């Protein structure tokens, strides 16, 4: 694993990092089998709520990275994780995931953001479509056109990590004639599918989000409570005692959002982004 001091400096400077060779090939194959089992079982809750995936979510290697990057041993998890499978490349668009997407003077931009997301991609994307795309050094401004855009050339076993304030896009495509040349996602609709590199395998990825105790984390949770997709996800993720016991064993502060959202009328929620007041 990459030297953690250099990793932290790189992450804070660039807003993202690719950590090589965190997981073995056999582990990745096991994670693919688990993902397919979740699909067969129609499980659509978060990773903590299922016995087969909570060990992936709270893997000690992942927690070590998150603690170093967030600068704390007191991590907070709040039910924001998922297993996504077989979505088609090309639905990509650059965006940020924090509340202050429009207001460049909002609280999110006043200090180092205390919430990060990680992705484990269970197939190679170094020469194939479906890669995460990122704008370099884009995590300190709300302008989604700031920063050089590139594909994250992850290989099987790598771990990707980025701030929620970093501009990124999922499901990117590569041109057959120039797979390393970045093609802006807004141009996909003008290019025939036959001109793009296919995926190596159907795309499976695990995503997980952690935070550091902070008013900005509290604000992010308030924001998520206004979003339909997240409230629906929390309603599907009801934790039993084993979830709390496992989180405690990993020294994770677990915020159970289900009691806070179970009575929310979903018709009042936003399908898209709406700014929070400062």
């Amino acid at each position: 694993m990459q030297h953690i001091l250099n990793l932290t400096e790189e992450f804070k400077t660039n807003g993202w990092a690719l950590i090589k060779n965190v997981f073995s090939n056999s582990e990745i194959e096991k994670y693919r089998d688990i993902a397919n089992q979740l699909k067969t079982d129609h499980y659509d809750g978060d990773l903590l709520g299922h016995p087969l995936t909570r060990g992936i979510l709270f893997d000690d290697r992942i927690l070590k990275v998150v603690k170093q990057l967030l600068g704390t041993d007191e991590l907070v998890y709040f039910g924001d994780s998922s297993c996504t499978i077989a979505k088609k490349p090309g639905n990509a668009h650059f965006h940020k995931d924090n509340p202050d997407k429009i207001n460049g003077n909002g609280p999110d931009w006043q200090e180092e953001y205390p919430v990060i997301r990680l992705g484990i991609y269970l197939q190679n994307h170094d020469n194939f479509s479906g890669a995460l795309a990122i704008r370099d050094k884009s995590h300190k401004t709300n302008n989604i056109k700031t920063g050089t855009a590139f594909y994250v050339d992850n290989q099987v076993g790598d771990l990707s990590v980025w701030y929620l304030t970093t501009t990124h896009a999922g499901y990117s495509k590569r041109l057959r004639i120039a797979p390393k040349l970045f093609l802006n996602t807004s141009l996909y609709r003008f290019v025939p599918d036959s001109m793009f590199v296919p995926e190596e395998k159907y795309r499976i990825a695990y995503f997980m989000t952690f935070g550091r105790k902070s008013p900005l984390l509290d604000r992010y949770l308030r924001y998520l409570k206004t979003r339909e997709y997240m409230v629906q996800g929390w309603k599907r993720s009801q934790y039993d005692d084993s979830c709390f016991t496992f989180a405690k064993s990993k020294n994770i502060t677990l915020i159970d959002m289900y009691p806070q959202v179970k009575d929310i009328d979903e018709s009042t929620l936003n399908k898209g982004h709406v700014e929070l007041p400062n």
Side-chain angles (χ1 to χ4, degrees), residues 48 54 58 239-252 254:
L48 180 61
R54 63 185 56 156
F58 289 165
Y239 300 143
D240 60 21
D241 289 344
S242 66
C243 297
F244 293 95
T245 299
F246 189 57
K248 184 176 180 179
S249 74
K250 296 291 185 175
N251 195 31
I252 303 291
L254 175 59

Side-chain angles (χ1 to χ4, degrees), residues 94-120:
F94 277 115
H95 64 284
K96 298 174 183 288
D97 291 326
N98 60 302
D100 287 323
K101 292 178 175 62
I102 298 173
N103 181 10
N105 295 315
D108 291 352
W109 310 110
Q110 305 308 312
E111 59 186 86
E112 179 185 317
Y113 203 68
V115 188
I116 62 177
R117 184 159 291 148
L118 303 95
I120 309 170

Side-chain angles (χ1 to χ4, degrees), residues 206-245:
Y206 291 96
F207 297 105
M208 53 212 69
T209 311
F210 293 93
R212 178 182 68 242
K213 292 180 180 179
S214 164
L216 286 182
L217 171 59
D218 297 338
R219 188 167 182 269
Y220 178 58
L221 295 180
R222 290 199 304 275
Y223 169 71
L224 290 183
K225 288 169 70 173
T226 72
R227 295 297 304 272
E228 180 184 71
Y229 82 95
M230 197 68 225
V231 170
Q232 290 175 342
W234 281 329
K235 287 184 177 182
R236 294 192 298 265
S237 300
Q238 298 184 43
Y239 300 143
D240 60 21
D241 289 344
S242 66
C243 297
F244 293 95
T245 299

